[in-house]
Amino acid sequence: MEEHATIAKLLSNAGQQIDALVGKSVVVKVGGSTLGSHDTAIEDIVTLSKLGIKVALVHGGGSAISTWLQTVGKKPQFIDGLRVTDAETMEIVLMVLAGKVNKELVASLNKLGGRAVGVSGLDGGLIKARQINEDLGLVGEITAMDLSLLDSFFALGYIPVVAPVGVGDRGESLNINADTAAAEVAVALKAESIFFLTDVVGICDHDKTLLPRLTMSQTQGLIATGVITAGMIPKAQACFRALDGVNGAHIIDGRGAHALLRELLTDQYAGTTIVR
Ligand SMILES: Nc1ncnc2c1ncn2[C@@H]1O[C@H](COP(=O)(O)OP(=O)(O)OP(=O)(O)O)[C@@H](O)[C@H]1O
Ligand SMILES: [Mg+2]
């Protein structure tokens, strides 16, 4: 009840911000790890969609994929935050990411009154990709996007939920980092902004303090000096890519209550904003 009042107040004070966003698109990326029971991202996305804002949700699923790999006796392996993907891992990625994780997100959005529809990058040729290198195996970099499917969904009032799998030249499925896919979706959609919801407060310095605002070159420096590591590397690089076409790229803590609504509709910025 109290929470209901909080949202109502937030919305009633944000008339101007909402008007400016109606009919525009916003991309939200959620990580597998943040999707816990206290998460309000799903609720926020439904709220934004009902206001007439076109929200595309792109999801990861790192922890669920690792769990299933371990169930079949395979050890998850990463190079600079990217999952090394052999043929067997790719099968699990497809089953878990385009299957379980995608459908559970769709179900959660619909349960809260949203109209969500789940697709992978294979559907409608949404994401075309090519293999990055031999060492990573079936990991793709995006070569082209076909937004027809997403445009149709938006026109019908649906919230598209995208599993980051791409199709290669020979029709093979390629595993794509979800942050990378989200950035490409944002650029292709000419989205207003992109939000990466993750399980930390934002990008932190070597002494663990939050860095609220970073330029691209400062962020490059943090990667070079090893302050930014692992899954934060593709996320930072995805922000760089998103800034080719999008005004704001934000990495925020998805665990906070209504982090997304606050970020988008108030001037209470949390997390890290990366600027050109
Ligand atoms: N400088 C840094 N500041 C904050 N987090 C960092 C930094 N360097 C590395 N990290 C790590 O990056 C992680 C976030 O990326 P990660 O890929 O694990 O999650 P995600 O992208 O939200 O989820 P998924 O990969 O499932 O989509 C943090 O949990 C943290 O361990
Ligand atoms: Mg990640």
Side-chain angles (χ1 to χ4, degrees):
M1 210 43 219
E2 193 187 318
E3 186 170 293
H4 220 81
T6 313
I7 302 179
K9 190 159 171 239
L10 215 149
L11 294 178
S12 70
N13 288 334
Q16 272 183 332
Q17 287 92 331
I18 294 169
D19 286 348
L21 284 168
V22 169
K24 306 245 171 79
S25 57
V26 166
V27 172
V28 178
K29 187 266 173 168
V30 289
S33 41
T34 55
L35 294 167
S37 50
H38 302 296
D39 203 286
T40 57
I42 298 299
E43 203 182 318
D44 289 355
I45 290 167
V46 171
T47 303
L48 292 169
S49 161
K50 284 186 172 169
L51 289 168
I53 300 165
K54 300 172 181 170
V55 189
L57 178 59
V58 180
H59 62 86
S63 55
I65 294 167
S66 293
T67 302
W68 281 95
L69 282 174
Q70 278 151 357
T71 305
V72 300
K74 282 183 84 79
K75 198 170 172 288
Q77 223 189 313
F78 293 86
I79 300 175
D80 287 339
L82 297 178
R83 182 185 299 281
V84 177
T85 307
D86 62 11
E88 209 181 8
T89 303
M90 191 61 225
E91 279 195 21
I92 296 199
V93 167
L94 262 184
M95 288 189 274
V96 175
L97 208 58
K100 181 178 157 61
V101 177
N102 187 270
K103 299 312 150 196
E104 283 179 354
L105 276 168
V106 168
S108 316
L109 285 158
N110 289 344
K111 186 174 164 216
L112 293 179
R115 273 161 58 84
V117 60
V119 294
S120 75
L122 305 175
D123 294 280
L126 175 62
I127 301 177
K128 303 226 169 36
R130 71 168 157 251
Q131 200 176 323
I132 298 177
N133 61 40
E134 288 296 320
D135 290 350
L136 284 166
L138 296 169
V139 175
E141 59 189 351
I142 298 177
T143 53
M145 304 278 298
D146 182 342
L147 283 192
S148 330
L149 196 58
L150 295 198
D151 288 337
S152 310
F153 288 146
F154 281 137
L156 294 168
Y158 284 103
I159 304 166
V161 179
V162 180
V165 177
V167 58
D169 276 347
R170 287 170 285 111
E172 75 279 23
S173 300
L174 294 169
N175 183 16
I176 309 224
N177 176 272
D179 299 320
T180 312
E184 293 295 338
V185 170
V187 171
L189 277 176
K190 299 189 175 65
E192 282 299 297
S193 42
I194 182 165
F195 296 88
F196 296 90
L197 269 51
T198 187
D199 61 352
V200 282
V201 292
I203 296 181
C204 296
D205 210 344
H206 56 83
D207 60 1
K208 305 268 186 280
T209 54
L210 171 70
L211 298 164
R213 196 167 186 278
L214 288 170
T215 63
M216 285 180 22
S217 69
Q218 286 171 328
T219 313
Q220 292 281 21
L222 294 172
I223 296 174
T225 52
V227 173
I228 291 178
T229 60
M232 199 51 85
I233 298 176
K235 208 180 300 299
Q237 288 167 341
C239 289
F240 302 162
R241 171 60 179 144
L243 288 169
D244 282 339
V246 173
N247 289 327
H250 312 272
I251 297 172
I252 59 176
D253 192 344
R255 300 166 303 177
H258 302 295
L260 190 58
L261 280 190
R262 280 183 217 285
E263 193 80 18
L264 201 57
L265 302 180
T266 74
D267 50 8
Q268 301 166 27
Y269 295 112
T272 302
T273 294
I274 299 187
V275 295
R276 276 187 208 90

